[in-house]
Amino acid sequence: MFSRCNKLVSSQSTAQKSVWSCLRSLIKNDYATEATFESKPFKLHRLDSGPSTKSTITSDEAIEMYKQTQMIRRIETAAGNLYKEKIIRGFCHLYSGQEAVAVGMKSVMRPQDSAISAYRVHGWTYLMGVSALGVLAELTGRKSGCCRGKGGSMHMYATNFYGGNGIVGAQVPLGAGVAFANKYTENGGVCFALYGDGASNQGQVFEVYNMAKLWNLPVIFVCENNGYGMGTSTERSSASPNFYTRGDYIPGIWVDGMDILAVREATRFGIEYCTSGKGPLVMEAATYRYSGHSMSDPGTSYRTREEIQEVRQTRDPITSFKEKIINAGLVSADLLKKIDVEVKAEVDAAVKIAKSEAEIGLDELANDIYSNDLEKEIRSTTPFLFYKHNNSSGKTPINL
Amino acid sequence: MAVVIFGFKIIRKLAEDTFILNGHHIWHRKSFSSFKSLWAKQMTVRDALNSALDEELKRDERVFLIGEEVALYNGAYKVSKGLLDKYGSKRLVDTPISEQGFAGIAVGAALNGLRPICEFMTWNFSMQAIDQIINSAAKTFYMSGGMLGAPIVFRGPNGASAGVAAQHSQCYAAWYSHCPGLKVLSPYNCEDCRGLLKAAIRDPDPVVFLEHELQYSVTYPVSDQALSEDFVLEIGKAYIERHGKHVTLAAHAKEVQTCLDAAKELAGQGIECEVINLRSLRPLDMETICKSVAKTNNLITVEGGWPQCGIGSEISARIMESESFFLLDSPVIRVTGVDVPMPYAKNLETIVQPKPLNIITVVKKILGVRGKVSSISL
Ligand SMILES: Cc1ncc(C[n+]2csc(CCOP(=O)(O)OP(=O)(O)O)c2C)c(N)n1
Ligand SMILES: [Mg+2]
């Protein structure tokens, strides 16, 4: 135990702190309460110094992050199965393989910070406060869905989570707009605008790079580089695959997106940078998607099965994190097993409801087109039947 | 040939039945000429489009296909399957996800003598590029006083799909047919797809070509004539899919099928619908519609798009502005998509698009009111 603690810490002050925690926990229950980990170096663009490659977490934080990654993985596995059973329809984009990006970021986001992403958002929606049931029932289009089944896989929202956008790239200006409002109201919040390597080639991304820097908006442009935009590899889509440098005049960081703690430190650095008034940052998180682009894409015509296998075996974000925290003595393998069982039970229960529950009633079809519903009657397919236009929740929208 | 084998009576009987071919597609038969198609080649809409692209790429070196996933991936909906292998990466150009950029590049190439086919993975994404379509492609010939043309085809899947919610399920027919300078085509079956796509590619003007996403895997017969490499349909002409005397149903794309299904049902109740497949939304073939109205005195338009400023609105207005107005026995009625963004939940999604039942209800209502068909109880 002792030697392990020592081995894991290298910087002086953290070393002292960790050794102390180790000692304390040894007396208590034989497990460390805190440990420090070293991550791969970051790549920097127009920055003199970057995030710390050392990350210190408590055992509670480790447990929380572990649970979140497992939860996302399980939700996605369940979603995949529900799709195969034809209970989830249309598009269904899974986040499996990319969990570390969301979990690492969320672990240091403050209550005033927010995020927006594209259509691969089941995991983000969960992290931003929606239950597994809220996500899964949205996927099956049922009542308990976080958007009452009206949005489906690509369109989920939560407090401080602005979606859920199906139009590649469109979320990036929106994220800059959320940051604009943060700056305007001086609420101190930072907005994370996430987009893929494919989306990075949309013109509107470059338009808002410019405005965000011009006006020093507190926005972090997070490019989740999973190697492919649908069937197109980054080499085939992007003249420069160094996404962290593509903001040119905006400083950038490359981070290993398979390492929760590296993402955590990069995000922490980003928040400090933005809140000190220096303006936007670009953060490229190198990651990988295990499944096809969406459930209808087998995902093997443009990459090899071996490539997928290799990433799963050598870079899996959950396996590596699990090993790290067990080896550091932060948690026991038994505890993690217990968490796995709990997560499975929660997701299984959610699946059950998401499968069996009813959809919202037809009377809600024409609800929520406007929040001030001046058109009380909404035309059906013919002029002989009209639907009532109401607001479903009866509550004021969270931003109005 | 059919006559020789069966004799006329049997043909009539068969001709009025519904056939299920290839186990999945149902279509209706009403005349000797289409009976011939029982022996015609069967094809999916996807293959019809693929073959038209193939033949036009072969015919004209200046023709190339550009868009997302069109080459290596064979098209997101596999419409360009096999074409990269045949024509190489000079003629099949995979682009990054940059609609405004590659649509602009395609228009520029057209201005400089090429014949681009610009694919939008779906028309939903054309909104990123709508400026290049309208301001650059549609208006250049006019703005240049006839000096510079823009021979380009913009194509891709359009209309309500299944289970993909509001941003990926909508019809652009009304949007684009609003604009002078564009020709707008909306094919229904395989022959439409082959004849109209070839016509579009050979046309000197910018053409918006709206393929219906849910039609790609549907099978239709294709006549020998339509299989010819030079089978080209005239742009701006509608086609009467079914003749009838009581009411005219004018529709485009998948909704033609909805009308045919309704017409079939109504025929059993003594109501004969004339079903017009509009094919071309700009120019709009008002001549065919007006002639039909002169015969039936009743008109219903059917479309998947929203009602306000839709294709049906335009047809109704033009009827009002013409002599045909005086020939109507009842008001023109629009059957349209429900006036809401597309919901994801299946029960809601199902009622958003026009169904045969909606058409049947409207037909009965307008005919019943006029008391024209006595055999119908309302
Ligand atoms: C404007 C627009 N163009 C095209 C599409 C179709 N499309 C959906 S996802 C996608 C690939 C995006 O890849 P990337 O940004 O790398 O994100 P990833 O799927 O890898 O998470 C494409 C082309 C779309 N939804 N919106
Ligand atoms: Mg990607």
Side-chain angles (χ1 to χ4, degrees):
Chain A
M1 198 69 245
F2 229 130
S3 65
R4 197 155 55 205
C5 278
N6 270 327
K7 199 173 73 202
L8 281 161
V9 243
S10 40
S11 97
Q12 268 268 312
S13 59
T14 354
Q16 278 165 6
K17 208 164 129 208
S18 286
V19 168
W20 170 238
S21 349
C22 277
L23 270 175
R24 214 176 44 190
S25 65
L26 271 177
I27 302 160
K28 252 171 66 190
N29 58 8
D30 226 26
Y31 283 97
T33 54
E34 195 173 281
T36 299
F37 302 89
E38 181 83 30
S39 65
K40 247 194 218 165
F42 301 91
K43 293 181 209 166
L44 304 179
H45 169 68
R46 287 189 190 246
L47 284 171
D48 295 332
S49 63
S52 163
T53 52
K54 289 179 191 65
S55 191
T56 303
I57 52 169
T58 66
S59 64
D60 286 349
E61 285 165 339
I63 290 166
E64 171 77 1
M65 288 187 271
Y66 178 79
K67 188 182 160 195
Q68 288 172 334
T69 47
Q70 280 296 32
M71 190 61 122
I72 297 175
R73 182 74 55 95
R74 275 253 168 234
I75 288 175
E76 296 298 52
T77 306
N81 291 336
L82 287 166
Y83 187 92
K84 286 176 200 146
E85 290 174 56
K86 297 198 175 358
I87 298 169
I88 293 175
R89 307 157 59 235
F91 295 138
C92 181
H93 310 88
L94 305 185
Y95 201 53
S96 306
Q98 302 183 214
E99 299 90 345
V101 182
V103 172
M105 287 174 63
K106 181 66 176 71
S107 74
V108 284
M109 280 169 65
R110 307 155 305 156
Q112 65 270 45
D113 297 329
S114 53
I116 185 167
S117 186
Y119 41 79
R120 207 176 287 287
V121 287
H122 313 157
W124 267 105
T125 307
Y126 170 75
L127 291 179
M128 297 303 284
V130 172
S131 66
L133 175 61
V135 172
L136 287 161
E138 188 57 37
L139 287 169
T140 58
R142 309 303 164 95
K143 255 187 205 157
S144 300
C146 56
C147 300
R148 307 183 67 71
K150 277 188 164 174
S153 168
M154 297 185 286
H155 311 297
M156 298 183 179
Y157 307 81
T159 303
N160 284 338
F161 183 59
Y162 294 90
N165 201 310
I167 304 303
V168 167
Q171 75 278 15
V172 182
L174 298 179
V178 171
F180 184 96
N182 288 341
K183 190 172 180 189
Y184 195 99
T185 56
E186 298 175 14
N187 68 7
V190 171
C191 182
F192 295 88
L194 293 109
Y195 55 99
D197 46 286
S200 73
N201 297 310
Q202 279 291 29
Q204 49 185 326
V205 173
F206 296 93
E207 294 186 15
V208 295
Y209 277 173
N210 181 49
M211 285 179 273
K213 185 64 204 166
L214 200 60
W215 303 331
N216 278 337
L217 302 180
V219 55
I220 300 183
F221 299 105
V222 184
C223 179
E224 287 188 86
N225 177 5
N226 59 12
Y228 300 89
M230 249 179 201
T232 306
S233 63
T234 52
E235 303 78 59
R236 295 182 61 241
S237 72
S238 305
S240 161
N242 296 321
F243 298 99
Y244 70 107
T245 66
R246 286 179 55 166
D248 183 8
Y249 37 79
I250 302 178
I253 303 167
W254 177 96
V255 53
D256 177 5
M258 301 304 257
D259 180 350
I260 299 176
L261 298 179
V263 174
R264 180 179 157 96
E265 291 314 313
T267 308
R268 194 200 305 278
F269 176 89
I271 292 175
E272 273 165 26
Y273 184 92
C274 278
T275 50
S276 69
K278 292 186 191 133
L281 261 187
V282 175
M283 182 169 130
E284 172 185 351
T287 180
Y288 198 80
R289 79 166 141 74
Y290 289 161
S291 307
H293 167 71
S294 69
M295 285 303 293
S296 58
D297 167 32
T300 46
S301 67
Y302 47 86
R303 57 181 189 181
T304 61
R305 280 174 209 282
E306 290 72 46
E307 177 184 303
I308 307 167
Q309 266 320 312
E310 194 192 316
V311 180
R312 275 188 185 274
Q313 277 157 16
T314 61
R315 290 170 59 201
D316 183 73
I318 303 186
T319 313
S320 61
F321 186 66
K322 186 173 167 178
E323 273 169 14
K324 253 185 219 169
I325 57 177
I326 291 176
N327 291 346
L330 271 182
V331 290
S332 69
D334 283 349
L335 178 64
L336 297 189
K337 257 190 214 122
K338 219 179 109 208
I339 292 172
D340 291 351
V341 172
E342 278 168 21
V343 165
K344 182 175 183 309
E346 189 176 337
V347 173
D348 286 351
V351 165
K352 226 176 178 173
I353 301 172
K355 267 167 109 160
S356 58
E357 195 185 31
E359 293 154 325
I360 53 171
L362 299 184
D363 55 321
E364 286 199 40
L365 172 66
N367 281 8
D368 302 323
I369 302 170
Y370 300 99
S371 50
N372 181 9
D373 51 351
L374 299 177
E375 292 182 54
K376 299 284 181 204
E377 306 245 276
I378 300 298
R379 194 187 190 271
S380 71
T381 52
T382 73
F384 306 119
L385 173 73
F386 283 78
Y387 297 104
K388 286 258 168 318
H389 180 203
N390 288 308
N391 289 343
S392 313
S393 65
K395 285 180 273 177
T396 318
I398 51 178
N399 60 333
L400 298 182
Chain B
M1 181 186 164
V3 179
V4 177
I5 300 171
F6 292 109
F8 186 65
K9 276 218 165 105
I10 299 169
I11 292 169
R12 280 267 333 223
K13 166 88 189 71
L14 281 172
E16 280 163 14
D17 269 340
T18 294
F19 292 86
I20 301 174
L21 282 172
N22 290 354
H24 55 122
H25 183 62
I26 300 173
W27 87 93
H28 309 283
R29 210 124 306 295
K30 78 280 181 197
S31 69
F32 171 66
S33 70
S34 55
F35 184 77
K36 265 201 306 204
S37 55
L38 261 187
W39 282 272
K41 190 180 153 100
Q42 298 292 313
M43 210 184 221
T44 60
V45 165
R46 174 182 291 107
D47 289 342
L49 292 164
N50 179 273
S51 62
L53 288 172
D54 190 350
E55 289 160 20
E56 294 306 296
L57 282 160
K58 186 170 115 198
R59 186 187 57 80
D60 186 346
E61 271 290 323
R62 298 169 303 169
V63 174
F64 68 100
L65 178 66
I66 183 169
E68 292 157 16
E69 310 284 355
V70 297
L72 195 69
Y73 198 69
N74 284 316
Y77 295 85
K78 306 294 172 206
V79 171
S80 48
K81 192 169 180 189
L83 299 180
L84 174 67
D85 290 344
K86 252 180 155 161
Y87 299 99
S89 56
K90 180 181 170 192
R91 313 282 303 283
L92 277 106
V93 185
D94 270 335
T95 67
I97 310 166
S98 311
E99 285 85 3
Q100 186 172 26
F102 73 72
I105 285 175
V107 176
L111 297 179
N112 195 15
L114 300 185
R115 295 293 183 126
I117 305 167
C118 173
E119 172 172 318
F120 293 113
M121 189 176 283
T122 77
W123 275 97
N124 303 292
F125 316 141
S126 76
M127 284 202 284
Q128 302 288 316
I130 198 167
D131 178 70
Q132 295 291 11
I133 301 170
I134 295 170
N135 274 327
S136 303
K139 299 176 185 170
T140 298
F141 192 62
Y142 187 82
M143 294 188 298
S144 68
M147 197 169 74
L148 203 54
I152 180 168
V153 177
F154 300 102
R155 53 157 288 272
N158 174 58
S161 182
V164 294
Q167 291 183 338
H168 284 71
S169 233
Q170 54 204 324
C171 178
Y172 286 88
W175 289 68
Y176 290 108
S177 71
H178 185 64
C179 307
L182 291 178
K183 292 172 178 164
V184 181
L185 304 179
S186 180
Y188 150 61
N189 60 15
C190 291
E191 295 197 353
D192 288 2
C193 283
R194 280 187 52 78
L196 292 174
L197 183 53
K198 284 162 153 292
I201 295 168
R202 297 178 190 195
D203 198 88
D205 292 312
V207 180
V208 162
F209 193 85
L210 306 166
E211 299 154 15
H212 200 293
E213 190 165 336
L214 296 180
Q215 290 286 91
Y216 281 142
S217 299
V218 179
T219 305
Y220 292 96
V222 189
S223 67
D224 286 349
Q225 188 201 1
L227 284 171
S228 146
E229 295 200 351
D230 278 315
F231 177 67
V232 174
L233 288 170
E234 195 180 339
I235 295 177
K237 287 277 173 280
Y239 180 73
I240 300 180
E241 295 282 343
R242 180 183 180 117
H243 293 269
K245 59 184 178 200
H246 296 130
V247 57
T248 301
L249 308 177
H252 68 97
K254 182 169 165 287
E255 279 60 44
V256 174
Q257 188 63 56
T258 316
C259 289
L260 288 171
D261 292 346
K264 163 84 180 151
E265 176 81 26
L266 286 162
Q269 302 174 36
I271 303 174
E272 292 300 334
C273 303
E274 180 139 304
V275 178
I276 298 180
N277 169 7
L278 293 169
R279 282 186 174 164
S280 174
L281 304 176
R282 190 178 186 113
L284 198 51
D285 184 2
M286 284 311 291
E287 195 187 328
T288 298
I289 300 172
C290 290
K291 264 192 197 150
S292 179
V293 169
K295 185 164 77 165
T296 65
N297 310 110
N298 291 290
L299 174 63
I300 296 169
T301 64
V302 185
E303 65 194 300
W306 292 307
Q308 184 156 336
C309 303
I311 302 300
S313 318
E314 178 61 26
I315 293 174
S316 313
R318 291 213 208 171
I319 292 283
M320 295 278 281
E321 291 165 351
S322 75
E323 287 296 310
S324 298
F325 174 69
F326 301 104
L327 301 173
L328 287 173
D329 283 347
S330 62
V332 178
I333 301 292
R334 296 169 298 158
V335 175
T336 65
V338 178
D339 203 10
V340 296
M342 184 63 81
Y344 168 70
K346 193 173 182 181
N347 63 333
L348 300 185
E349 189 192 67
T350 311
I351 55 173
V352 168
Q353 289 287 293
K355 299 279 169 309
L357 185 65
N358 303 131
I359 300 170
I360 292 167
T361 310
V362 175
V363 167
K364 287 187 174 178
K365 195 153 184 138
I366 62 171
L367 295 184
V369 168
R370 309 301 304 173
K372 188 164 178 173
V373 176
S374 51
S375 63
I376 304 161
S377 59
L378 284 157

